Amino acid sequence: MEDEPDQESLEQNPCARTVEEELNKPFNLETSLSKFSCIDLDKELEFKNDLIDDKEFDIPQVDTPPTLESILNETDDEDESFVLEDPTLLNIDTIDSHSYDTSSVASSDSGDRANLKRKKKLPDSFSLHGSVMRHSLLKGISAQIVSAADKVDAGLPTAIAVSSLIAVGTSHGLALIFDQNQALRLCLGSTSVGGQYGAISALSINNDCSRLLCGFAKGQITMWDLASGKLLRSITDAHPPGTAILHIKFTDDPTLAICNDSGGSVFELTFKRVMGVRTCESRCLFSGSKGEVCCIEPLHSKPELKDHPITQFSLLAMASLTKILVIGLKPSLKVWMTFPYGRMDPSSVPLLAWHFVAVNNCVNPMLAFCRGDMVHFLLVKRDESGAIHVTKQKHLHLYYDLINFTWINSRTVVLLDSVEKLHVIDRQTQEELETMEISEVQLVYNSSHFKSLATGGNVSQALALVGEKACYQSISSYGGQIFYLGTKSVYVMMLRSWRERMDHLLKQDCLTEALALAWSFHEGKAKAVVGLSGDVSKRKAVVADRMVEILFHYADRALKKCPDQGKIQVMEQHFQDTVPVIVDYCLLLQRKDLLFSQMYDKLSENSVAKGVFLECLEPYILSDKLMGITPQVMKDLIVHFQDKKLLENVEALIVHMDITSLDIQQVVLMCWENRLYDAMIYVYNRGMNEFISPMEKLFKVIAPPLNAGKTLTDEQVVMGNKLLVYISCCLAGRAYPLGDIPEDLVPLVKNQVFEFLIRLHSVEASSEEEVYPYVRTLLHFDTREFLNVLALTFEDFKNDKQAVEYQQRIVDILLKVMVENSDFTPSQVGCLFTFLARQLAKPDNTLFVNRTLFDQVLEFLCSPDDDSRHSERQQVLLELLQAGGIVQFEESRLIRMAEKAEFYQICEFMYEREHQYDKIIDCYLHDPLREEEVFNYIHNILSIPGHSAEEKQSVWQKAMDHMEELVSLKPCKAAELVATHFSEQIEVVIGQLQNQLLLFKFLRSLLDPREGVHVNQELLQIQPHITEQFIELLCQFSPDQVIETLQVLECYRLEETIQITQKYQLHEVTAYLLEKKGDVHGAFLLLLERLQSRLQEMTQQGENTKEDILLKGVEDTMVETIALCQRNSQNLNQQQREALWFPLLEAMMTPQKLSSSAVPPHPHCEAALKSLTMQVLNSMAAFIALPSILQRILQDPIYGKGKLGEIQGLILGMLDTFNYEQTLLETTASLLNQDLHWSLRNLRASGSRGLNPKQDYCSICLQQYKRRQETADEIIVFSCGHLYHSFCLQSKECTLEVEGQTRWACYKCSSSNKAGKLSENPSENKKGQITSSQVKMSPSYHQSKGDPPARKANSEPVLDPQQMQAFDQLCRLYRGSSRLALLTELSQNRGGDSCRPFAGPHIGPAFNSIFQKENFQLQLAPPPVTED
């Protein structure tokens, strides 16, 4: 029979045919039903590895599962989130597992829009999987449904049920029965009965397709014999009247069915036949008064699974508006699982679906339940004891709301969202395989039955809301097919076979996608696969043959669609998009024969395609994935890259190729012409086992310029480096540039290379050629690297006779070439002798070198006649000595020559060998490059253990002898050294330093901690006269820094220091010292005298350019004087303060009194003086009473006369200050009052607020508080929400006696905080005493036992726990110190002495100021408003 033509929704691909074209194709239902009637479980088990879910969580078995009665008695509150009745019954994973997004986008009213934002955009499912589903219109059934509506007034279709027959119910009570050929077999019922019973709202066909159950909108149920068309039963009393039948389902037992009505109740119907009379018994399984069930699904097992142990329980899944239940109907009614939804969209539709799946090599039923955008999978298993275990699989989180869920097989599910878009999902990977619009179906919805319109609409609003999107009876699945009932049609959908999926893509001209899909079939990674063998080898063979066919078609299409005209770049781009696909899949299929024969011949017809093909091979060759290429293709490949000038690419390709595929003569010629030396060496080595010829060719390139003394070009340097690496590889047994030389050739290659290197003359040598040209060339090119190559080779040599001879021969040639020629630099000669010294120092050395040669090298390196390359010579000789060459020299002669040549590092090396550490100090001091390292060296010798006392003493003495030189080198380092190792000799060191400036720098580094020198002053114990000597030097060399330095110095005498500062007339420094001594008045007079002299100097100068400088001097002196007065006024009485401030004010006002003199001051100067005078007045106002200041001004003979015009500005300024302070005081008082009112209001509100417990049972004994019978027991409620019986708290020792009162602490909070003892401030609580069913709140603490009834109040009020709680809440709300606390602390500081502002007396050692806290912040914002 012919396969059905391919269909695909237009939405999936722009090149897809229209839906109408698909629907016009014929459909044979019988073929489809027989093709997909059952699932081969053996095939499922072959994929068991794919089905194992690593993220499953086993649910522990419950000892006593809840009974159905207990669940029915529960009250469902849709406004509250639900928890499991037994938390151990189901382990719920709330983590969103790997959700998979697709290219489809739901309409704006579908799904959770927040989820859409967090989904990751993935490639279009069509390009990954092709068209997975095909859908067809059942024309025969659709036509007869329309015809029945017209001819017999059957009405519109309302429900569908599918088995080997198809039953369609109508709105006028008729049931139309169709066979597999879409022929109408039966028309059950009549319109008259339909008028009485209403529309058919539900249908169900039993397993053997012999009985049909019809449920009606007005609640009646009928049973029909499908063989004869007879009415067997008409049931009218199976459930409460006035409710519609929403669902009716046969179980596997033909005598047992389940129905669900619009009242939310579920009933079990048992069919019996007694004495020829058919009866029906009804039993209520779930009452709608306890929660309305809107979906039921019994577990149906296939015939091949009829002996499965789970079938004996006759499981039934029910979905109410709040929870899922799984119950067993046999052998007795039992609840096996209950699962709450949690918070859900009330309009979303609950869905249930069973299916048997293979997991862990076992077949068990899996229940999918979903509501909204979440799908959960539960695996149900029966253990050996007969109990049922439920295992939670990873859930599926979608971005759209579901209205239908259907299993199409154990690995693939089909979902329908609220905008009628179909989604095909792979269950294991949760990948969306295809989306499809089915709006053209015009799906039938069951809303009227859920609203029970036929019986008056007496249903709850919640059930009616769910019914808006209910389509339970419009979709039916059977045998891997899904049937959709429309208002005028019936559609069927099924999975395409793997060939159909590929053919569909080919018809859409999507060849690349078809190849990708075929490769996923080949590798076993495709999803929803139908029709492929489970045997891996057979599957790969079948798919590979199909892929080869597609590749030929693909190649023909690529050549056919190539642009015939236009730019060559357009053609290249076309083939770059297509040819790599052919190459990739041929190599993936391991069909090189196909690639290099038929495909290459086909593509060679177009030169552009041929070039692109050859370029595609490059990455595979370079990654060694393509070793063998036919000689013809390799030849074309090289020619192509040559023509495109990609010679470097050619070289990289050749060294990765099998040599048998190369034309050696062609390749060698090409490599030499284009300087592809790596490829040339590879061909010579691998193709001809020839290793010497490439060396000769490379030597011919680099030798001439080196012999002529010319500088090599960059290309020649690269070639020289290649030559060295090539020689190194040959001598080490490695192939160049990759791999290894065959083991049998390694000794031969080594001998050939050595023989080549030590040749006396080259081939075709001229008469002028010097001996040993190859060694000479390599030494001139890079001496060090060539000798390194030889050293590595000598390491690998075995001590046989031939190897020893080769080594000695090479060494003799090296000496002859380098020592007898003067054209080598000292560095090159040194490298040779360093190499020789290392070889001679080996324990198994067999080389012989004349010692006289080393003496000659020493003379050459230490030659005093040539001062050039001094550092290079010294470094070379040092390397030679460190490599073991010291044994070749006489040490005394070596030291003499090194000293003569000023090789101080050599001298250090020799002195260290002889432990003459003191002489090394001279080496450092004489070496300008390393002289500063002498300090670390001396410190290490004197500090690090391992040196004898005599050695340390010699170094110590040497350092003392050179101390002046060390100080002049770096004073700070010298000071650190002296403080560490010469602390007792400081005066001796000072005596050695005759230069005063040098002595000043040394003492500053030693005594001033700001210099950064790490000196421990406590251990140093500097004498005062040394510090005073430093201060005197400081007065000479840096007088501006004297005060700053005195502030950090400690060891000096005040009297002597004052004399020093007076000697150098540093008045500010003298005043500082007098103040420190305690002579405040003397310091003030000194500064006052300095201020008066500067004022006098400024007033006498008149107008000149120095006015600004003089004014700056006056201001600085005045600021210092004011600071002196402010620092000391706090410790003086009123008379002593006036003795300081009034002379200062007088001094500032005196120049203004002389304004009428012959030399009036400059206006700018006069304004500045007034400003400075105001500054003095403002400063003294904090310490001198305002009346005293005014009285002193008015008593002045100058200001006491006249109209006070001269001091008007001063008085007005003082009044402004008074107004400012008065305003500040009023504002502060207002803020304090507001704070106090706000605090008291919130304290009162918090204290009178009730507590809301989190639960109605004691958190310790877990019994409800109202069930305890002890009348003396009290209920303790804490602010954290926990509730306890007082007896329970006492048993846990959660009481605390505080000041004779019993305080309670929350048991849970205390234990969670892991407190070792009860907190002094426990959680605040309220308690009540239970009387009958009411709770009476009592005070927040007990009266202790044994206390007298009346108790004296404490002298200080104590906050009770409620008030403490309110106060803590207040503090947390404000998040910082209150303004009241800030001002209180300021007032406490002022309260000590009214005349001593900011005195700040310490309350005690534990006093902690608010202002000293790290997190203190001044918040200039009004207090927050608390919620009532």
Side-chain angles (χ1 to χ4, degrees):
M1 186 175 291
E2 294 181 357
D3 290 340
E4 180 190 357
D6 297 292
Q7 297 90 16
E8 181 55 52
S9 172
L10 186 64
E11 291 292 323
Q12 295 302 306
N13 192 283
C15 56
R17 287 176 292 175
T18 63
V19 176
E20 287 75 7
E21 292 176 347
E22 293 295 332
L23 299 183
N24 290 327
K25 300 295 180 182
F27 179 82
N28 191 308
L29 181 63
E30 181 178 5
T31 304
S32 301
L33 289 176
S34 62
K35 187 175 182 179
F36 295 101
S37 61
C38 66
I39 296 176
D40 187 359
L41 290 175
D42 293 335
K43 186 177 296 185
E44 287 193 28
L45 292 176
E46 290 177 4
F47 294 98
K48 62 182 180 295
N49 292 332
D50 297 331
L51 296 170
I52 294 175
D53 190 349
D54 295 330
K55 294 190 176 182
E56 67 183 23
F57 301 96
D58 285 332
I59 304 170
Q61 179 64 28
V62 181
D63 295 333
T64 56
T67 63
L68 183 61
E69 181 183 1
S70 66
I71 295 174
L72 297 181
N73 286 330
E74 292 176 0
T75 57
D76 293 331
D77 187 355
E78 295 180 12
D79 295 332
E80 295 293 329
S81 60
F82 285 87
V83 296
L84 292 175
E85 284 73 5
D86 188 337
T88 63
L89 187 62
L90 190 59
N91 209 354
I92 303 173
D93 180 13
T94 58
I95 299 174
D96 188 1
S97 299
H98 311 285
S99 299
Y100 190 92
D101 195 14
T102 68
S103 61
S104 62
V105 180
S107 63
S108 60
D109 62 341
S110 173
D112 182 3
R113 308 306 300 175
N115 288 336
L116 282 175
K117 298 179 181 178
R118 59 180 171 84
K119 297 292 180 182
K120 185 171 62 176
K121 193 72 175 177
L122 293 176
D124 182 14
S125 59
F126 179 79
S127 62
L128 291 174
H129 308 286
S131 176
V132 178
M133 301 287 292
R134 63 183 169 98
H135 61 287
S136 299
L137 170 67
L138 299 183
K139 292 184 177 180
I141 297 177
S142 302
Q144 293 181 77
I145 290 175
V146 174
S147 176
D150 293 337
K151 295 180 179 179
V152 298
D153 193 22
L156 296 176
T158 56
I160 188 172
V162 181
S163 182
S164 56
L165 298 176
I166 299 178
V168 176
T170 69
S171 58
H172 290 174
L174 298 181
L176 308 177
I177 311 300
F178 300 91
D179 62 13
Q180 298 175 356
N181 295 318
Q182 305 186 45
L184 181 64
R185 284 185 49 185
L186 295 171
C187 180
L188 306 177
S190 63
T191 54
S192 60
V193 176
Q196 180 183 355
Y197 290 176
I200 291 181
S201 57
L203 292 171
S204 179
I205 303 175
N206 65 356
N207 283 345
D208 60 2
C209 208
S210 62
R211 296 289 185 268
L212 172 69
L213 279 175
C214 299
F216 289 87
K218 293 185 179 180
Q220 293 83 356
I221 300 172
T222 60
M223 178 185 286
W224 298 86
D225 186 337
L226 291 178
S228 62
K230 293 181 178 179
L231 177 64
L232 301 180
R233 289 179 175 87
S234 181
I235 307 166
T236 58
D237 56 353
H239 66 102
T243 56
I245 298 296
L246 299 182
H247 301 274
I248 188 160
K249 304 276 186 179
F250 270 112
T251 65
D252 284 345
D253 183 354
T255 66
L256 194 64
I258 309 295
C259 75
N260 174 208
D261 63 15
S262 59
S265 300
V266 179
F267 295 87
E268 176 189 67
L269 305 180
T270 305
F271 305 116
K272 295 182 179 180
R273 186 172 183 177
V274 181
M275 302 294 291
V277 178
R278 291 185 173 91
T279 62
C280 176
E281 296 180 0
S282 174
R283 178 173 63 157
C284 181
L285 300 180
F286 193 100
S287 173
S289 62
K290 303 299 182 181
E292 295 162 304
V293 171
C294 53
C295 180
I296 60 173
E297 192 67 41
L299 174 62
H300 291 287
S301 58
K302 301 176 180 62
E304 58 269 22
L305 291 172
K306 63 181 181 180
D307 295 329
H308 195 285
I310 207 77
T311 58
Q312 64 180 347
F313 293 99
S314 188
L315 295 181
L316 171 67
M318 301 185 294
S320 74
L321 298 179
T322 56
K323 61 171 73 72
I324 299 288
L325 294 95
V326 176
I327 66 175
L329 302 176
K330 297 180 180 180
S332 60
L333 189 63
K334 188 172 185 180
V335 177
W336 289 108
M337 187 210 76
T338 176
F339 187 94
Y341 297 129
R343 292 195 177 275
M344 284 285 180
D345 181 1
S347 65
S348 57
V349 182
L351 304 170
L352 296 170
W354 288 96
H355 202 279
F356 280 85
V357 298
V359 177
N360 296 335
N361 209 21
C362 296
V363 176
N364 285 296
M366 179 177 286
L367 174 65
F369 66 90
C370 40
R371 188 174 185 187
D373 60 355
M374 188 73 78
V375 181
H376 295 275
F377 296 96
L378 290 180
L379 186 66
V380 181
K381 295 182 289 187
R382 178 181 181 273
D383 61 12
E384 297 177 356
S385 65
I388 287 180
H389 287 276
V390 180
T391 304
K392 178 74 165 59
Q393 309 287 300
K394 60 182 179 182
H395 63 261
L396 176 61
H397 197 177
L398 307 168
Y399 59 93
Y400 43 81
D401 286 335
L402 294 180
I403 60 173
N404 180 260
F405 179 101
T406 308
W407 293 89
I408 201 163
N409 58 39
S410 62
R411 299 177 299 278
T412 312
V413 297
V414 178
L415 313 179
L416 181 63
D417 66 20
S418 56
V419 294
E420 296 189 5
K421 181 179 286 188
L422 218 59
H423 305 262
V424 185
I425 307 289
D426 181 76
R427 184 179 62 84
Q428 277 76 32
T429 63
Q430 302 189 352
E431 183 178 357
E432 188 167 79
L433 309 181
E434 187 179 11
T435 59
M436 185 185 305
E437 292 282 355
I438 64 164
S439 55
E440 74 276 4
V441 174
Q442 298 182 6
L443 195 67
V444 172
Y445 286 88
N446 314 131
S447 306
S448 61
H449 306 144
F450 272 77
K451 296 177 182 178
S452 197
L453 298 181
T455 59
N458 53 340
V459 298
S460 68
Q461 292 183 356
L463 190 64
L465 186 61
V466 170
E468 292 289 346
K469 298 179 181 179
C471 56
Y472 295 108
Q473 304 303 324
S474 308
I475 303 172
S476 179
S477 64
Y478 179 75
Q481 299 172 103
I482 309 175
F483 295 81
Y484 294 88
L485 179 64
T487 55
K488 296 181 180 180
S489 58
V490 176
Y491 289 78
V492 63
M493 301 201 182
M494 66 186 71
L495 289 177
R496 296 179 187 269
S497 69
W498 72 277
R499 286 187 181 274
E500 286 182 89
R501 289 168 65 178
M502 292 175 60
D503 292 341
H504 181 79
L505 288 172
L506 293 175
K507 289 178 182 178
Q508 310 302 323
D509 207 23
C510 301
L511 272 69
T512 306
E513 289 81 0
L515 285 168
L517 180 61
W519 181 249
S520 67
F521 290 142
H522 185 275
E523 295 299 297
K525 296 180 179 178
K527 307 295 190 300
V529 183
V530 175
L532 267 181
S533 171
D535 183 79
V536 176
S537 58
K538 290 181 181 179
R539 180 190 73 215
K540 289 190 174 184
V542 171
V543 176
D545 292 341
R546 183 63 176 142
M547 288 184 70
V548 170
E549 296 174 9
I550 298 175
L551 284 172
F552 278 116
H553 178 49
Y554 188 81
D556 292 336
R557 194 194 69 161
L559 292 171
K560 184 178 179 181
K561 290 194 174 184
C562 174
D564 295 332
Q565 56 186 1
K567 295 183 179 180
I568 190 68
Q569 290 86 352
V570 177
M571 297 178 66
E572 286 182 349
Q573 184 61 46
H574 169 73
F575 286 114
Q576 285 171 359
D577 294 337
T578 56
V579 173
V581 176
I582 300 174
V583 177
D584 287 343
Y585 283 109
C586 284
L587 293 176
L588 285 173
L589 293 172
Q590 299 180 358
R591 293 294 303 272
K592 289 192 292 184
D593 57 331
L594 176 68
L595 180 65
F596 295 130
S597 56
Q598 294 164 284
M599 286 296 176
Y600 183 62
D601 294 341
K602 189 181 291 290
L603 294 174
S604 296
E605 298 172 3
N606 187 301
S607 59
V608 178
K610 180 180 178 181
V612 173
F613 176 87
L614 295 172
E615 291 173 12
C616 288
L617 302 179
E618 182 181 8
Y620 291 99
I621 296 173
L622 295 180
S623 60
D624 295 328
K625 294 179 181 178
L626 184 59
M627 298 295 293
I629 297 180
T630 60
Q632 181 60 42
V633 176
M634 189 63 203
K635 181 178 180 180
D636 294 345
L637 179 67
I638 293 176
V639 171
H640 173 74
F641 277 88
Q642 272 186 294
D643 294 342
K644 299 196 74 172
K645 307 298 182 185
L646 300 173
L647 298 174
E648 292 183 359
N649 301 58
V650 173
E651 184 174 31
L653 290 173
I654 290 174
V655 299
H656 284 83
M657 287 304 302
D658 183 2
I659 199 68
T660 59
S661 63
L662 300 176
D663 184 338
I664 294 179
Q665 184 177 359
Q666 174 204 9
V667 172
V668 170
L669 182 61
M670 180 201 65
C671 293
W672 185 250
E673 289 176 352
N674 297 285
R675 300 184 180 88
L676 306 180
Y677 299 109
D678 284 356
M680 182 189 68
I681 293 171
Y682 176 81
V683 173
Y684 268 107
N685 293 171
R686 296 291 180 92
M688 298 179 285
N689 286 336
E690 173 60 56
F691 293 85
I692 302 303
S693 296
M695 292 185 190
E696 291 178 341
K697 290 180 178 295
L698 291 174
F699 270 111
K700 287 180 181 179
V701 176
I702 66 170
L706 284 173
N707 294 336
K710 297 180 181 178
T711 303
L712 297 180
T713 64
D714 292 342
E715 183 180 358
Q716 291 170 338
V717 171
V718 171
M719 292 171 58
N721 289 328
K722 286 182 184 293
L723 179 59
L724 277 175
V725 175
Y726 178 46
I727 292 173
S728 175
C729 288
C730 291
L731 294 177
R734 297 192 305 274
Y736 180 86
L738 302 169
D740 295 308
I741 299 174
E743 292 185 7
D744 56 334
L745 293 178
V746 171
L748 177 63
V749 172
K750 285 187 178 181
N751 292 339
Q752 288 180 355
V753 173
F754 269 116
E755 291 291 345
F756 170 75
L757 290 177
I758 63 178
R759 286 180 186 175
L760 191 62
H761 288 287
S762 61
V763 181
E764 302 176 0
S766 63
S767 58
E768 299 176 356
E769 184 183 69
E770 298 185 69
V771 294
Y772 306 114
Y774 300 129
V775 172
R776 188 182 304 275
T777 299
L778 291 173
L779 288 172
H780 274 296
F781 175 73
D782 195 331
T783 307
R784 186 182 297 274
E785 289 304 322
F786 177 53
L787 294 175
N788 285 341
V789 169
L790 293 178
L792 291 174
T793 305
F794 288 177
E795 292 286 343
D796 295 336
F797 266 177
K798 298 178 181 178
N799 288 327
D800 55 9
K801 183 177 180 181
Q802 185 181 14
V804 172
E805 290 177 358
Y806 273 129
Q807 291 184 51
Q808 187 64 52
R809 180 69 174 145
I810 285 285
V811 168
D812 292 341
I813 292 174
L814 291 173
L815 290 171
K816 183 175 180 60
V817 170
M818 295 195 73
V819 176
E820 296 180 3
N821 288 272
S822 59
D823 54 348
F824 288 96
T825 64
S827 178
Q828 291 174 317
V829 175
C831 285
L832 171 62
F833 280 90
T834 301
F835 164 75
L836 295 176
R838 290 194 178 117
Q839 299 302 318
L840 294 173
K842 291 181 180 179
D844 56 349
N845 171 56
T846 57
L847 294 176
F848 170 76
V849 179
N850 192 342
R851 187 167 181 173
T852 308
L853 292 175
F854 281 91
D855 291 336
Q856 292 177 6
V857 171
L858 183 61
E859 290 284 348
F860 171 70
L861 295 175
C862 297
S863 173
D865 300 332
D866 185 7
D867 292 335
S868 64
R869 302 188 177 187
H870 180 273
S871 298
E872 180 184 347
R873 291 170 180 269
Q874 180 176 218
Q875 191 63 33
V876 166
L877 183 55
L878 184 61
E879 289 182 7
L880 175 58
L881 297 177
Q882 291 173 343
I886 186 68
V887 299
Q888 307 294 334
F889 301 107
E890 183 185 348
E891 295 188 6
S892 59
R893 180 170 179 268
L894 177 59
I895 292 177
R896 288 197 304 272
M897 296 191 69
E899 290 176 344
K900 185 178 180 181
E902 298 181 353
F903 288 172
Y904 296 114
Q905 293 185 42
I906 306 299
C907 295
E908 179 186 354
F909 180 79
M910 298 304 298
Y911 290 147
E912 192 160 359
R913 285 173 54 87
E914 298 176 3
H915 301 286
Q916 296 180 359
Y917 300 110
D918 54 332
K919 293 185 178 181
I920 295 178
I921 296 177
D922 291 324
C923 295
Y924 278 105
L925 292 175
H926 295 153
D927 190 348
L929 298 177
R930 303 189 307 145
E931 58 184 3
E932 292 188 4
E933 298 177 16
V934 66
F935 300 101
N936 290 334
Y937 177 77
I938 296 173
H939 174 71
N940 291 338
I941 294 295
L942 297 178
S943 302
I944 298 176
H947 301 288
S948 65
E950 293 78 8
E951 292 168 351
K952 291 186 177 183
Q953 180 61 33
S954 63
V955 171
W956 189 90
Q957 189 59 48
K958 190 76 172 182
M960 281 296 297
D961 296 341
H962 291 79
M963 189 56 70
E964 186 171 6
E965 191 174 352
L966 292 173
V967 172
S968 61
L969 182 62
K970 202 157 190 179
C972 58
K973 289 284 187 181
E976 193 171 343
L977 188 66
V978 167
T980 306
H981 301 289
F982 303 90
S983 57
E984 298 179 357
Q985 305 293 324
I986 290 179
E987 295 191 17
V988 178
V989 173
I990 292 174
Q992 292 182 6
L993 301 177
Q994 301 300 320
N995 187 321
Q996 295 296 302
L997 180 59
L998 192 63
L999 177 60
F1000 166 65
K1001 293 180 179 179
F1002 170 73
L1003 289 176
R1004 182 167 61 178
S1005 300
L1006 187 67
L1007 301 176
D1008 193 343
R1010 298 173 301 170
E1011 292 297 309
V1013 179
H1014 303 290
V1015 175
N1016 192 333
Q1017 299 290 344
E1018 296 179 359
L1019 300 177
L1020 200 56
Q1021 296 181 354
I1022 299 294
Q1023 297 296 324
H1025 69 274
I1026 296 178
T1027 307
E1028 292 156 10
Q1029 183 180 4
F1030 165 59
I1031 294 173
E1032 186 169 1
L1033 292 171
L1034 188 65
C1035 293
Q1036 296 179 31
F1037 296 107
S1038 186
D1040 296 338
Q1041 300 181 4
V1042 177
I1043 291 182
E1044 297 177 2
T1045 307
L1046 287 174
Q1047 290 173 350
V1048 297
L1049 291 179
E1050 296 178 358
C1051 297
Y1052 61 89
R1053 295 166 294 187
L1054 287 175
E1055 290 295 340
E1056 287 74 3
T1057 308
I1058 290 173
Q1059 295 176 7
I1060 294 172
T1061 56
Q1062 289 175 345
K1063 174 182 175 182
Y1064 292 96
Q1065 297 183 356
L1066 300 178
H1067 303 294
E1068 289 82 358
V1069 182
T1070 306
Y1072 168 78
L1073 292 171
L1074 288 172
E1075 182 184 2
K1076 189 172 182 180
K1077 180 183 176 183
D1079 187 2
V1080 178
H1081 193 69
F1084 172 75
L1085 292 178
L1086 197 61
L1087 290 177
L1088 185 64
E1089 180 183 355
R1090 180 70 173 166
L1091 177 62
Q1092 289 173 340
S1093 64
R1094 291 194 171 183
L1095 284 169
Q1096 184 178 3
E1097 184 179 355
M1098 185 181 71
T1099 54
Q1100 292 176 354
Q1101 287 291 333
E1103 294 186 28
N1104 55 32
T1105 57
K1106 295 184 179 181
E1107 183 177 335
D1108 290 339
I1109 300 175
L1110 294 173
L1111 185 60
K1112 184 68 169 62
V1114 169
E1115 184 176 1
D1116 293 343
T1117 307
M1118 187 202 73
V1119 169
E1120 291 180 12
T1121 310
I1122 290 175
L1124 173 69
C1125 296
Q1126 287 177 334
R1127 285 195 302 269
N1128 295 279
S1129 292
Q1130 298 178 8
N1131 302 320
L1132 302 176
N1133 56 32
Q1134 187 67 22
Q1135 183 179 0
Q1136 291 170 332
R1137 294 176 186 175
E1138 292 178 356
L1140 290 180
W1141 287 103
F1142 284 135
L1144 175 59
L1145 179 63
E1146 180 67 24
M1148 292 304 302
M1149 295 177 64
T1150 299
Q1152 302 177 52
K1153 300 176 185 178
L1154 306 176
S1155 58
S1156 58
S1157 62
V1159 185
H1162 190 271
H1164 172 66
C1165 178
E1166 184 177 1
L1169 285 174
K1170 288 184 178 181
S1171 174
L1172 294 176
T1173 306
M1174 274 305 303
Q1175 188 174 347
V1176 173
L1177 282 171
N1178 290 334
S1179 300
M1180 66 187 297
F1183 304 98
I1184 306 296
L1186 185 61
S1188 300
I1189 299 174
L1190 289 175
Q1191 183 179 2
R1192 185 60 177 262
I1193 294 174
L1194 295 176
Q1195 286 177 353
D1196 188 276
I1198 300 298
Y1199 295 123
K1201 301 176 183 178
K1203 297 182 180 181
L1204 305 180
E1206 295 86 352
I1207 61 170
Q1208 181 182 6
L1210 299 179
I1211 296 175
L1212 289 177
M1214 295 168 65
L1215 292 176
D1216 287 341
T1217 302
F1218 169 75
N1219 288 332
Y1220 167 74
E1221 292 181 349
Q1222 184 181 20
T1223 304
L1224 181 63
L1225 181 62
E1226 292 173 355
T1227 304
T1228 303
S1230 175
L1231 289 175
L1232 282 174
N1233 292 333
Q1234 292 178 19
D1235 271 2
L1236 183 60
H1237 172 73
W1238 176 75
S1239 302
L1240 292 176
R1241 179 172 62 86
N1242 283 283
L1243 204 60
R1244 181 180 179 278
S1246 300
S1248 59
R1249 181 176 298 164
L1251 299 180
N1252 181 26
K1254 295 180 179 178
Q1255 65 278 325
D1256 59 353
Y1257 54 86
C1258 174
S1259 297
I1260 295 178
C1261 67
L1262 302 181
Q1263 294 188 18
Q1264 291 193 353
Y1265 67 89
K1266 58 186 179 182
R1267 296 182 182 176
R1268 292 291 292 259
Q1269 302 301 323
E1270 294 86 346
T1271 56
D1273 199 4
E1274 293 178 328
I1275 307 304
I1276 311 297
V1277 182
F1278 289 91
S1279 59
C1280 56
H1282 295 125
L1283 179 146
Y1284 304 93
H1285 296 106
S1286 60
F1287 288 171
C1288 297
L1289 273 184
Q1290 289 175 356
S1291 66
K1292 296 295 184 179
E1293 298 181 355
C1294 290
T1295 58
L1296 184 69
E1297 293 294 332
V1298 178
E1299 298 179 357
Q1301 298 175 350
T1302 301
R1303 298 285 179 90
W1304 300 94
C1306 178
Y1307 172 69
K1308 280 196 170 184
C1309 297
S1310 301
S1311 55
S1312 64
N1313 292 331
K1314 299 182 179 178
K1317 298 186 293 184
L1318 288 176
S1319 171
E1320 290 298 327
N1321 293 315
S1323 300
E1324 295 77 29
N1325 59 79
K1326 294 184 179 180
K1327 64 183 182 181
Q1329 186 169 3
I1330 197 76
T1331 58
S1332 67
S1333 63
Q1334 297 179 348
V1335 178
K1336 178 182 178 182
M1337 304 306 296
S1338 66
S1340 57
Y1341 53 84
H1342 285 300
Q1343 181 176 336
S1344 301
K1345 296 181 180 179
D1347 286 352
R1351 178 179 300 163
K1352 290 185 178 180
N1354 294 330
S1355 57
E1356 283 189 15
V1358 178
L1359 292 178
D1360 64 19
Q1362 290 175 323
Q1363 295 168 330
M1364 290 292 293
Q1365 176 190 5
F1367 183 74
D1368 289 344
Q1369 181 183 2
L1370 189 66
C1371 293
R1372 286 194 302 270
L1373 186 65
Y1374 196 71
R1375 295 191 183 95
S1377 303
S1378 66
R1379 293 179 293 205
L1380 180 61
L1382 300 178
L1383 295 173
T1384 300
E1385 183 166 336
L1386 291 175
S1387 65
Q1388 288 176 350
N1389 290 340
R1390 292 185 64 93
D1393 185 358
S1394 60
C1395 299
R1396 293 170 59 195
F1398 311 111
H1402 290 293
I1403 297 174
F1407 176 74
N1408 230 347
S1409 173
I1410 294 175
F1411 309 108
Q1412 294 174 354
K1413 294 181 180 178
E1414 294 181 358
N1415 57 354
F1416 169 72
Q1417 292 181 348
L1418 188 60
Q1419 299 181 358
L1420 302 178
V1425 178
T1426 58
E1427 297 179 1
D1428 293 335

